[in-house]
Amino acid sequence: MAECIECGAEVETSEDAEEGEIIECPECGVELEIISVEPLELALAPEEEEDWGE
Amino acid sequence: MPDPVALLRGALEIYSPSGREEEIGRYLCEQMRAFGLRAELDGAGNAVGARGSGPRQIVMLGHMDTVPGFIPVLEEEGRLYGRGAVDAKAALATFIAATSRLPERADTTYLIVCAVEEECPTSRGARYALDRYRPSCAIIGEPSGAGSITLGYKGRLALGYRVEQPCVHSAVDMGRAAERAVDFWLAVKEMTAEYAAPSRFERLDAALMSFQTGGDGLTEHAALEISLRLPPGFEVARLRKRLEALHPDASLEVRESLPAFKAEKNTPLVRAFLQAIRSRGLRPTFKVKTGTADMNLLGPAWGCPIVAYGPGDSSLDHTPHEHLDLAEYQLAIDILADVLSRL
């Protein structure tokens, strides 16, 4: 269990959670990235930016 | 191990617009061998490098052709100038240098495909590779910036419109072929407005690429080349039907039709990139591109975790100032080697 860094709600993670995994806060819907499993630590997931080029 | 900057500099010195990739293909094969990979040209002229011989394939595919316009190769203040410095020889050189650092693994084959003809509608190199590999994950070589990964590209619909009719006197109140083509283009623009969205990635954009008129005194014609950038989930067949109904007597040919593609972000591949980027004190970002790339073709066909990655600022793509920051290039090599070792 961890706290959403955006709204403070409790966020559950699975037992096999992995670093780099992206989960959604059930309260505010923000995407969070698991940046550490032991201890469990969350950060805001990378935002999607628009860019040009092909 | 050979110098990655010398590898890239040599690649930039070889002018390789689409359709003229023989010399760059031979050079990249030689370089891949020097970097410890097996390498050969395939049936399409792609330069293909391999390391390891296990059943699990990790495919890195980028293009070795460039848009036309040679840029003299110059290294100045930590920047390397040249055509392809960003789009996309730097990504290929990153693949080669990063893969050369990995130990041989019995369960995995790392494959680097330096593809022909991406900067033209054929995508011949990627189409050739499509059925030949079954990767467990794939990385497309395009500039994302060392600290970012690209998840998606808009689709593209390229159309050729042509109307032909008997000549009429300009004093006669009847639409000339040129006027009818202009009317068609304005109708296309009006239709795109129906697909408005807050972001460019999610909206339909249209560009008029060329407009030609002519005649022989008896008949006259007008021709348009139109490029539409498609958002995810866009129904091409419905739009095509509406456009064909506008001028039933004109011809409307589809030159290219590639749907938009957006990769899943909760995959082992994305996780490996996020960890590798964060471990260097950087804050990763995801990018979605308003252009189109080989990922649109290969992503749906391969159905595996996929991203596009490569150093460089894509706002320099296709410009006369194309250059790469060499510190960013070294960082991208470090990050990619780290990613590959985590997979």
Side-chain angles (χ1 to χ4, degrees):
Chain A
M1 197 76 81
E3 233 178 51
C4 171
I5 55 173
E6 189 76 357
C7 72
E10 283 192 349
V11 183
E12 267 188 58
T13 54
S14 61
E15 277 180 16
D16 54 356
E18 286 180 47
E19 246 181 73
E21 189 176 331
I22 294 169
I23 55 176
E24 201 172 286
C25 171
E27 286 296 319
C28 68
V30 75
E31 285 191 323
L32 301 161
E33 182 189 333
I34 299 173
I35 55 168
S36 164
V37 178
E38 279 295 336
L40 187 60
E41 208 179 320
L42 303 177
L44 286 176
E47 284 182 23
E48 281 183 20
E49 294 175 0
E50 282 195 3
D51 193 11
W52 62 1
E54 37 197 339
Chain B
M1 199 56 73
D3 174 19
V5 175
L7 157 70
L8 180 57
R9 175 187 275 273
L12 301 185
E13 277 165 359
I14 299 170
Y15 184 50
S16 58
S18 308
R20 288 174 52 190
E21 296 99 337
E22 299 87 356
E23 191 183 352
I24 185 76
R26 283 196 303 274
Y27 170 79
L28 289 171
C29 281
E30 281 164 22
Q31 288 294 312
M32 285 193 277
R33 287 184 206 114
F35 275 81
L37 282 72
R38 305 185 299 280
E40 60 181 13
L41 293 173
D42 71 13
N46 299 325
V48 181
R51 187 165 175 81
S53 51
R56 189 178 74 127
Q57 294 180 338
I58 294 177
V59 174
M60 291 163 266
L61 183 145
H63 61 94
M64 58 182 174
D65 62 320
T66 66
V67 291
F70 183 74
I71 299 171
V73 180
L74 173 73
E75 191 177 333
E76 198 175 67
E77 295 176 356
R79 294 168 168 178
L80 187 59
Y81 290 77
R83 175 62 76 215
V86 174
D87 186 15
K89 291 176 178 175
L92 291 177
T94 300
F95 291 168
I96 295 167
T99 303
S100 74
R101 292 191 191 170
L102 302 171
E104 294 253 0
R105 284 169 60 168
D107 64 340
T108 302
T109 303
Y110 301 101
L111 287 153
I112 298 173
V113 182
C114 309
V116 298
E117 294 185 25
E118 193 271 353
E119 294 288 7
C120 59
T122 59
S123 287
R124 197 163 63 87
R127 286 182 195 282
Y128 187 87
L130 193 144
D131 294 328
R132 282 170 172 78
Y133 306 108
R134 280 286 163 264
S136 66
C137 60
I139 302 168
I140 303 299
E142 290 285 356
S144 57
S148 301
I149 51 177
T150 301
L151 294 176
Y153 288 87
K154 285 180 87 169
R156 181 167 186 257
L157 179 65
L159 297 171
Y161 166 95
R162 184 180 170 92
V163 62
E164 205 168 300
Q165 62 184 36
C167 288
V168 288
H169 194 283
S170 59
V172 176
D173 186 18
M174 189 176 152
R176 307 286 302 257
E179 290 175 63
R180 297 193 60 207
V182 170
D183 287 345
F184 183 82
W185 167 243
L186 293 175
V188 170
K189 286 294 281 181
E190 214 174 292
M191 272 186 205
T192 60
E194 294 172 26
Y195 300 91
S199 75
R200 279 196 72 192
F201 189 70
E202 289 165 343
R203 75 178 185 226
L204 179 66
D205 287 311
L208 182 58
M209 308 305 286
S210 75
F211 181 17
Q212 290 179 325
T213 59
D216 60 5
L218 297 174
T219 61
E220 58 175 19
H221 67 264
L224 309 175
E225 293 296 327
I226 294 170
S227 172
L228 293 148
R229 298 291 181 173
L230 313 173
F234 189 79
E235 286 179 50
V236 169
R238 188 164 158 261
L239 178 75
R240 192 177 165 187
K241 221 169 170 181
R242 287 181 69 190
L243 293 174
E244 281 170 345
L246 286 173
H247 289 182
D249 59 328
S251 79
L252 191 64
E253 275 183 33
V254 175
R255 313 266 194 237
E256 183 189 18
S257 179
L258 260 183
F261 179 80
K262 193 169 172 196
E264 167 62 43
K265 57 185 158 190
N266 240 331
T267 63
L269 178 62
V270 172
R271 280 174 217 150
F273 267 104
L274 295 181
Q275 290 170 55
I277 293 169
R278 283 199 194 274
S279 72
R280 281 156 182 83
L282 302 170
R283 195 171 166 187
T285 53
F286 292 138
K287 287 187 175 172
V288 288
K289 302 263 189 174
T290 53
T292 307
D294 281 339
M295 191 172 177
N296 297 63
L297 187 68
L298 300 170
W302 285 345
C304 63
I306 190 169
V307 299
Y309 183 73
D313 174 356
S314 59
S315 70
L316 297 169
D317 286 10
H318 303 193
T319 71
H321 331 287
E322 189 170 355
H323 65 265
L324 181 71
D325 182 296
L326 290 172
E328 189 198 345
Y329 174 47
Q330 297 288 0
L331 176 63
I333 295 168
D334 290 344
I335 288 173
L336 184 63
D338 190 350
V339 167
L340 295 172
S341 68
R342 289 172 190 264
L343 292 171

